[in-house]
């Protein structure tokens, strides 16, 4: 008998087990046509979970309910599971973060979000307390993630799966950019995790909430009548999805950069020259760049990471830069970049050079890529020979750069 998960396909608690299954290779089947408020009220379901909560995992040895317990069961179903760490202390720390995620993150997001959706009484003082508690928890998480790519160890564990799923409903529904920007390391961590292939298979594309939902005007008792109004329960479970679906049909406005006057510099030609030049780089590629460069149609920018003193671990620093470049993918048509990780020992410095279409940093990049706020940006003055030479050195991966060795150099093209 395969493991059968009783839940809708958009339940973040069910997603924990489904993502764990992707990492462990355990087969978990999601029930078809599950209806919240209907399927979980049948005698068969109540026999598996007497209080009718979702999800429930049906196993050959009996049912399991409570989402974290289900995720643990799935993760442990493969004896070679990579999700519980490699030592007793890592196992304990994974469970530590699972408890923290449930009690400090998930619970406080729920106390803030659900009353606004009408699933309870919206009481402003209670909301203020929930937001304050959530900020305190995110602050602690942000401090931990300042020097850690993942919660425990150097790869995804069950702690990241549970934390990622718990944060996902917050990011989708109520944690706007203006709120999360106070916690840049949490932002970096969240987008790194949910963009992992095994997360994407289950969660799909995650888009951050643009606004905090207004409190529902209807009476708070109305959403609490699933028996009399089963359809209302269906709507309640599916409510997070339509909010994203509503945005999809809107006509996509043309990118303002496509409306700029045509430039003699063809970005793809420069990228091709950069990639194909294997020898005499300075004489061929660098010379070619300056011959092509159009200061009327493009602009050059230096960037310096604001928090270099936190770059104490080499692989964490490299992961930060790699995540930044991954999130810049939306700008590939309009940009070229070089990111240098500098230093032979910690703390490592991160400096970059970017070529953007237009005379300013494109607004859609500033709005969509949160990493941009983590850097100081300065436009290059190409009339300054020293700055122009610095541009050439950064494109060339010149070493030593400004007197220091390069740990790594990454290119966005």
């Amino acid at each position: 008998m395969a493991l059968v998960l009783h839940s809708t396909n958009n339940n973040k608690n069910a997603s924990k087990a489904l993502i764990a299954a992707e990492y462990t290779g355990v087969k978990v089947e999601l029930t078809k046509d599950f209806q919240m408020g209907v399927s979980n009220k049948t005698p068969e379901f109540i026999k598996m979970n007497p209080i009718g909560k979702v999800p429930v995992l049906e196993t050959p040895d009996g049912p399991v309910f409570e989402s974290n317990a289900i995720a643990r069961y799935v993760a442990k179903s493969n004896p070679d599971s990579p999700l519980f760490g490699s030592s007793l202390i890592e196992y304990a720390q994974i469970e530590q973060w699972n408890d923290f995620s449930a009690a400090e993150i998930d619970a406080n997001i729920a106390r803030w979000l659900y009353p606004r959706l009408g699933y309870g009484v919206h009481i402003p003082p209670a909301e203020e307390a929930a937001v304050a508690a959530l900020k305190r928890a995110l602050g602690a998480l942000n401090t931990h993630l300042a020097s850690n790519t993942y919660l425990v160890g150097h790869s995804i564990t069950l702690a990241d799966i549970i934390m990622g799923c718990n944060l996902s409903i917050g990011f989708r529904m109520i944690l706007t950019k203006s709120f999360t920007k106070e916690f840049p390391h949490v932002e970096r961590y969240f987008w790194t995790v949910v963009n992992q292939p095994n997360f994407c298979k289950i969660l799909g594309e995650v888009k951050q909430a643009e606004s905090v939902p207004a409190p529902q005007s209807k009476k708070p008792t109305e959403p609490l009548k699933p028996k009399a109004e089963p359809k209302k329960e269906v709507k309640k479970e599916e409510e997070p999805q339509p909010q994203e679906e509503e945005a999809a049909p809107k006509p996509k406005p043309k990118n303002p950069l496509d409306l700029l006057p045509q430039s003699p510099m063809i970005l793809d030609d420069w990228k091709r020259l950069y990639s194909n030049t294997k020898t005499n780089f300075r004489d061929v590629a660098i010379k070619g760049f300056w011959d092509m460069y159009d200061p009327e149609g493009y602009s050059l920018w230096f960037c310096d990471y604001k928090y270099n003193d936190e770059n104490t671990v080499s692989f964490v620093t490299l992961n930060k830069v790699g995540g930044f470049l991954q999130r810049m993918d939306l700008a590939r048509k309009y940009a070229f970049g070089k990111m240098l990780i500098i230093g032979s020992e910690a703390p490592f410095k991160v400096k970059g050079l970017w070529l953007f279409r237009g005379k300013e940093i494109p607004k859609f990049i500033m709005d969509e890529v949160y990493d941009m706020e983590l850097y100081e940006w300065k436009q290059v003055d190409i009339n300054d020979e020293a700055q122009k030479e610095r541009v050439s050195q950064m494109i060339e991966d010149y070493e030593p750069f400004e007197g220091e060795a390069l740990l790594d150099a990454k290119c966005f093209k």
Side-chain angles (χ1 to χ4, degrees), residues 270 273 277 279-289:
W270 156 242
L273 177 64
T277 303
T279 58
N280 299 322
F281 196 87
R282 172 69 69 141
D283 295 334
V284 178
I286 300 299
K287 182 179 183 303
F289 174 79

Side-chain angles (χ1 to χ4, degrees), residues 357-385:
R357 183 74 166 99
K359 293 190 173 183
E360 301 290 339
I361 298 176
K363 184 176 185 301
F364 78 95
I365 298 177
M366 296 298 294
D367 290 343
E368 297 293 332
V369 183
Y370 72 83
D371 308 71
M372 299 294 285
E373 297 180 359
L374 304 179
Y375 291 83
E376 295 284 357
W377 294 87
K378 178 184 177 183
Q379 189 164 5
V380 177
D381 179 2
I382 62 170
N383 295 315
D384 183 328
E385 288 301 321

